[in-house]
Amino acid sequence: MRVPVDWLGEYVELPQGVTGAQIAADLVAVGLEEEGLHGGDVTGPLVVGRVLEKHPEPQKNGKTVNWCQVDVADANGTGEPQGIVCGAHNFEVGDLVAVILPGGVLPGDFSIGARKTYGHLSAGMICSVKELGIGQDHEGIIVLPRLMGEEAAAHLQPGEDLIPVLGLDREVVEVNVTPDRGYCFSLRGIAREYAHATGAAFTDPARLPVDPATGGGYAVELADRSPLGGVPGCTRYVARTVRGLDLARETPGWMARRLLEAGMRPISLAVDVTNYVMLALGQPLHAFDLATLEGPIVVRRAAAGERLRTLDDVDRQLDGEDLLITDSGTRVLALAGVMGGEDGEVTPGQTSDVLVESAHFDPRSVARSARRHRLSTEASKRFERGVDPDVTDAAAQLAVDLLVELGGGTADPAITDVDGRTPRPRLELALDLPTRYVGVDYTPERVREILTMIGCEVDDAGEGRLWVLPPSWRPDLTDAPGLVEEVARIDGYDRIPSVLPRAVGGRGLTHDQRSRRAVAAALAAQGLHEVLTYPFVASERLDDLGLPAADPRRQALRLANPLSDEAPLMRTELLQTLPEALRRNVSRGSRDVAIFEIDTVTLPVPGAAAPVPDVGARPDDRTLEAIRAAVPAQPWHVAVVAAGQSDRAGWWGPGRPLDVTDVVGWAHGVCDTLGVAVSRRQTERAPFHPGRCVELALEDGTTVGWAGELHPKVVQRLGLPERSCAAELDLDVLLAASDHRTQVRPLSTHPMASSDVALVVALDVRHGDVEKSLRAGAGPLLESVELFDVYVGDQLGPDRQSLAFRMHFRAPDRTLTTDEVNAARDAAVACAAQDHGAVQR
């Protein structure tokens, strides 16, 4: 919200010589955020220029620039025309424009000088409103009669100083208005906040003589049959008629200047008056051409198939929730609270009688329509944050008065005011609640004083409590904590003590938190990069991964209001979203990519449905239990996806392509980091290659996860490189298995003895099973065993393999003898022979 300082001074008493920076600081003290200060930052020669010549010159880059000769009189010291290159095309020879000459400075400390460009020496710049900091329009340069009006610009002469003419010597304070402070989208609201901050005298611009509703005015019907949440879309509608207007008249310079300073472009008298009232009081208005209306104004919801061409020249398909302003209920005139339509538009020079609409619309209805149609307007910004319903008639009165004064019309005495407002509820507040919440000793008198200051009506409720009726312009005050916040804000945030939290005993992080961080650090140490993907997935992605129709992973939770209709499901595995990150990185030129993600997945409870209790009271324990039971499980998973070279090629030698052994090794590394022993066996599971996938499990058979190479068809459908590999582990299972105490044993200082054995077994025997038998047979003297060779050949016969193990023996209290080592080895071999038919080579 841009606040011209001189306009603000009409509603609140400003100290002599106050600056915009001081005003901004005072507003910050009551919780408004300073967005910027404008004015006074354009220096040097900014003058009126008249275009004498305009020569379009096409350039090699396809752009056309204009080489212009501009009359700036004696402002350049020579009286000769000024040569300027301009890229805009919205002006013609003879137009009056804004020219900044060399030596001038634009906002942002942008210095202007003479420089050679497009083959010419351009001495200055023809400016747009955005370059001067008085608006956001950058589509073309300023043509002064269009900006100020023909009448206001008629007296301007080339070379005349434009800084005071455009109000660039006046300061404007810009504040950021948060959604709960919609009343500050007006000079009225900002002035009131400045009065709260400084104690300055405040004059409410809405307190003006208002003609009472008489009946017999223009007919209005509120026919909203589908209210949202039980609240009708329109609760008040004031209609005022003004006849005999000359809307071809120019907007007076003072009003046009204020609109410009507030960031709005003057358009025509009728539009400018409604915008001026909206900026002053915060109440959006709309004016209809009375001659185009045939019947009563009917406010209703849209019907199926209805369309509206809005003032931005876009034909819009209307939704059944859209609230409309219609003529006789049939012809759509406007999207209520958002934007008017082309039908009923006021046209300068043709319209003489207007119907002024001042209405109060439901914030939710306006917000949904604005977002549905991607149409954010100055009106919708205010309505969706809450407009004061008690100022509706005052805003209409002010607009009528201005139209009569500036347009020469006559106001009809008959006034329509369809008022469906309901009484505002009172709030109960304990007088000691602000002290208990904030930690500052607020006396009961101070609490009453502050609540009265912000416009509340306060009555004693007895026993240290108050009945508080919030003001009509504060729809955000709905409970006692909101009132406490107001007490703290007005009394001063600087009075609230800063208390540092005290650290509690212990290591801070839980076992699960430390473990997840350790897993991330371990994977990063092996060269993988951590990523974060969105948990939303499309049903088509489950098909791309080749999941069978009955696969439980397809039972995904569907969002009622997804961010994107293309991805309405919550993922049940990280591998449903992580491959997209791999594909994106590869498409950007990365050849060798290994990424991992640690996050939650969502596993809905089959058939569970959470009840939806009323918001008016706390649900009972049974309802709360049903809600908790329906909350889906969200276990932590860790997943890896990789493609390309595992060892890169270079001067040191050839590289090695990534294969399934790498991801299996990374999966084992995760388990080793957590101190959890797992075994693996070959298996089949989508989306992995059926012959290159292993399942990892705990000793009790609990599945931890899967690792392997992705199926070629899956790789093709997902657009991944060939031989891409992946793994996904249930981190919650690992964390539960790792959460135990380990009794350490003293390290033996005695020497280790090694013995190698080669065992011939059937080809389908897993080496992990043979290793388990060796450990069982060798007894406690065996410290470790490792597989170091696998041989398959004609010497062994068909379907046979040779597994070579190296066994390490050590005793805790002595040096082992050869006989002891041989005996333990032979016992191990005997156990393997008994379990698997192993024969020692």
Side-chain angles (χ1 to χ4, degrees):
M1 175 69 187
R2 288 175 175 247
V3 184
V5 171
D6 65 334
W7 193 357
L8 181 67
E10 289 191 5
Y11 304 149
V12 67
E13 186 177 350
L14 298 177
Q16 187 70 26
V18 68
T19 66
Q22 292 171 326
I23 293 175
D26 291 329
L27 293 175
V28 168
V30 289
L32 290 175
E33 180 182 347
E34 177 188 346
E35 189 75 12
L37 297 174
H38 308 280
D41 46 3
V42 176
T43 61
L46 177 68
V47 300
V48 178
R50 185 181 299 278
V51 180
L52 301 177
E53 299 178 15
K54 175 185 176 185
H55 303 288
E57 296 181 354
Q59 304 298 312
K60 294 180 180 179
N61 60 5
K63 181 179 180 181
T64 299
V65 300
N66 296 302
W67 171 239
C68 304
Q69 296 295 321
V70 184
D71 178 15
V72 294
D74 295 330
N76 58 4
T78 65
E80 296 293 327
Q82 197 83 352
I84 300 176
V85 173
C86 182
H89 305 283
N90 65 320
F91 64 100
E92 301 297 338
V93 172
D95 282 342
L96 292 178
V97 295
V99 179
I100 188 164
L101 300 175
V105 179
L106 290 175
D109 199 25
F110 183 69
S111 300
I112 303 299
R115 64 188 183 93
K116 189 169 184 179
T117 179
Y118 294 107
H120 300 282
L121 183 64
S122 182
M125 178 189 294
I126 306 177
C127 302
S128 69
V129 293
K130 186 173 184 179
E131 289 161 344
L132 292 180
I134 58 177
Q136 294 299 316
D137 188 5
H138 197 54
E139 296 300 318
I141 55 93
I142 293 174
V143 178
L144 292 171
R146 297 179 202 160
L147 181 72
M148 304 170 55
E150 295 287 348
E151 183 178 346
H155 68 282
L156 297 178
Q157 297 297 323
E160 184 177 342
D161 186 5
L162 268 179
I163 289 180
V165 173
L166 295 180
L168 298 175
D169 57 344
R170 293 184 292 273
E171 287 192 288
V172 176
V173 178
E174 185 174 4
V175 295
N176 183 30
V177 179
T178 55
D180 62 329
R181 307 283 288 279
Y183 65 96
C184 288
F185 259 124
S186 66
L187 269 294
R188 179 194 187 209
I190 297 294
R192 181 181 284 109
E193 290 301 303
Y194 182 79
H196 294 337
T198 63
F202 168 66
T203 302
D204 191 348
R207 293 192 178 278
L208 71 164
V210 177
D211 298 333
T214 61
Y218 199 90
V220 174
E221 179 185 350
L222 305 184
D224 176 17
R225 301 303 183 190
S226 56
L228 298 175
V231 179
C234 180
T235 56
R236 190 179 188 188
Y237 197 107
V238 175
R240 300 286 301 269
T241 303
V242 184
R243 304 179 187 274
L245 287 168
D246 181 8
L247 295 181
R249 293 186 183 182
E250 294 286 341
T251 300
W254 63 269
M255 181 180 288
R257 188 192 75 234
R258 286 186 172 179
L259 292 174
L260 283 171
E261 291 175 350
M264 303 190 74
R265 182 172 59 89
I267 299 174
S268 64
L269 181 59
V271 175
D272 295 345
V273 164
T274 57
N275 285 340
Y276 180 84
V277 174
M278 177 183 69
L279 291 171
L281 304 183
Q283 169 69 56
L285 305 173
H286 194 75
F288 297 104
D289 186 344
L290 190 63
T292 65
L293 303 181
E294 299 176 355
I297 293 292
V298 178
V299 183
R300 61 168 176 82
R301 299 284 171 175
E306 282 192 296
R307 307 187 70 87
L308 170 66
R309 181 171 291 276
T310 47
L311 289 174
D312 58 353
D313 200 31
V314 176
D315 185 61
R316 302 182 184 276
Q317 174 71 48
L318 300 176
D319 185 87
E321 282 194 357
D322 289 332
L323 189 68
L324 306 179
I325 309 299
T326 66
D327 180 13
S328 303
T330 55
R331 187 164 60 106
V332 182
L333 300 175
L335 193 58
V338 182
M339 183 177 282
E342 291 185 350
D343 281 353
E345 180 184 3
V346 171
T347 306
Q350 299 181 18
T351 301
S352 60
D353 302 336
V354 300
L355 180 70
V356 176
E357 166 197 279
S358 180
H360 184 267
F361 301 114
D362 177 57
R364 289 169 297 179
S365 179
V366 174
R368 293 181 183 183
S369 291
R371 283 156 180 74
R372 185 180 300 114
H373 296 284
R374 295 179 175 86
L375 191 59
S376 178
T377 63
E378 292 296 328
S380 68
K381 289 178 186 177
R382 288 163 173 81
F383 276 123
E384 65 189 35
R385 287 166 173 82
V387 171
D388 183 359
D390 289 0
V391 82
T392 309
D393 53 348
Q397 183 69 54
L398 180 56
V400 168
D401 292 346
L402 288 171
L403 286 173
V404 169
E405 177 186 351
L406 304 177
T410 303
D412 274 8
I415 299 172
T416 300
D417 186 353
V418 181
D419 192 349
R421 289 174 294 172
T422 57
R424 303 190 303 278
R426 293 194 302 172
L427 307 177
E428 189 176 3
L429 174 70
L431 283 168
D432 63 343
L433 191 64
T435 297
R436 288 192 283 118
Y437 272 26
V438 182
V440 176
D441 186 14
Y442 300 112
T443 65
E445 292 74 18
R446 181 59 174 162
V447 173
R448 289 189 180 92
E449 177 188 0
I450 291 175
L451 294 178
T452 303
M453 182 188 305
I454 66 173
C456 296
E457 297 179 15
V458 180
D459 293 317
D460 191 358
E463 299 181 355
R465 310 183 76 82
L466 295 177
W467 286 115
V468 181
L469 180 64
S472 58
W473 59 85
R474 294 299 302 271
D476 57 303
L477 297 180
T478 58
D479 52 23
L483 298 175
V484 170
E485 182 181 353
E486 288 300 292
V487 172
R489 182 176 69 89
I490 299 301
D491 190 69
Y493 290 133
D494 56 331
R495 292 197 58 216
I496 302 175
S498 298
V499 180
L500 293 176
R502 298 180 60 184
V504 298
R507 290 175 290 178
L509 299 179
T510 65
H511 167 74
D512 288 359
Q513 290 171 329
R514 291 195 302 273
S515 299
R516 287 195 293 268
R517 294 188 183 191
V519 169
L523 290 173
Q526 297 183 69
L528 284 80
H529 296 275
E530 186 172 10
V531 300
L532 182 66
T533 61
Y534 289 111
F536 314 117
V537 66
S539 57
E540 292 78 9
R541 177 52 53 91
L542 307 180
D543 298 331
D544 295 339
L545 292 170
L547 302 187
D551 196 304
R553 288 172 291 174
R554 283 185 172 273
Q555 306 304 314
L557 183 71
R558 181 175 293 273
L559 296 172
N561 187 24
L563 292 178
S564 171
D565 292 336
E566 297 178 356
L569 306 178
M570 295 293 290
R571 66 186 173 194
T572 55
E573 278 190 326
L574 296 182
L575 289 183
Q576 294 167 8
T577 58
L578 190 56
E580 176 60 23
L582 174 64
R583 185 202 64 78
R584 189 180 300 111
N585 279 273
V586 171
S587 69
R588 300 298 191 274
S590 299
R591 296 182 179 180
D592 309 315
V593 182
I595 56 177
F596 74 95
E597 180 175 11
I598 299 176
D599 209 337
T600 59
V601 298
T602 304
L603 306 178
V605 180
V612 182
D614 187 74
V615 298
R618 178 188 182 276
D620 57 39
D621 293 340
R622 181 178 298 180
T623 302
L624 290 175
E625 186 61 31
I627 293 174
R628 295 189 187 101
V631 174
Q634 299 175 66
W636 285 86
H637 281 204
V638 55
V640 173
V641 177
Q645 294 282 321
S646 179
D647 298 329
R648 295 184 180 179
W651 56 265
W652 51 85
R656 181 180 69 83
L658 180 135
D659 58 29
V660 68
T661 62
D662 292 288
V663 293
V664 173
W666 292 331
H668 272 285
V670 170
C671 300
D672 293 342
T673 298
L674 299 177
V676 178
V678 295
S679 61
R680 62 181 182 271
R681 67 179 181 86
Q682 188 172 346
T683 186
E684 294 186 8
R685 178 181 173 87
F688 296 102
H689 192 296
R692 298 169 186 166
C693 172
V694 295
E695 177 186 358
L696 283 79
L698 302 178
E699 293 182 356
D700 62 2
T702 302
T703 299
V704 171
W706 292 265
E709 182 180 314
L710 294 176
H711 195 288
K713 291 184 179 180
V714 172
V715 167
Q716 182 180 13
R717 287 193 290 262
L718 297 182
L720 303 179
E722 295 181 358
R723 309 300 293 272
S724 294
C725 297
E728 181 159 353
L729 306 179
D730 189 328
L731 202 50
D732 277 3
V733 171
L734 288 173
L735 295 179
S738 67
D739 191 10
H740 58 79
R741 295 183 181 272
T742 301
Q743 180 63 51
V744 298
R745 294 179 297 176
L747 297 176
S748 175
T749 59
H750 295 278
M752 179 180 65
S754 299
S755 180
D756 296 346
V757 295
L759 303 176
V760 178
V761 296
L763 194 60
D764 60 353
V765 175
R766 298 189 302 162
H767 73 82
D769 295 335
V770 177
E771 179 183 322
K772 183 182 295 185
S773 296
L774 291 175
R775 288 183 180 275
L781 295 180
L782 181 65
E783 185 176 83
S784 64
V785 60
E786 59 188 26
L787 176 72
F788 69 88
D789 185 57
V790 178
Y791 173 74
V792 177
D794 296 337
Q795 298 180 11
L796 301 179
D799 299 327
R800 306 289 288 177
Q801 62 178 335
S802 174
L803 305 178
F805 295 91
R806 180 161 295 139
M807 308 175 69
H808 303 288
F809 298 91
R810 195 195 311 259
D813 55 351
R814 69 189 187 280
T815 299
L816 294 175
T817 65
T818 301
D819 292 341
E820 288 178 310
V821 172
N822 291 340
R825 179 201 62 201
D826 293 343
V829 172
C831 186
Q834 179 181 348
D835 293 344
H836 309 291
V839 178
Q840 187 173 2
R841 291 182 65 187

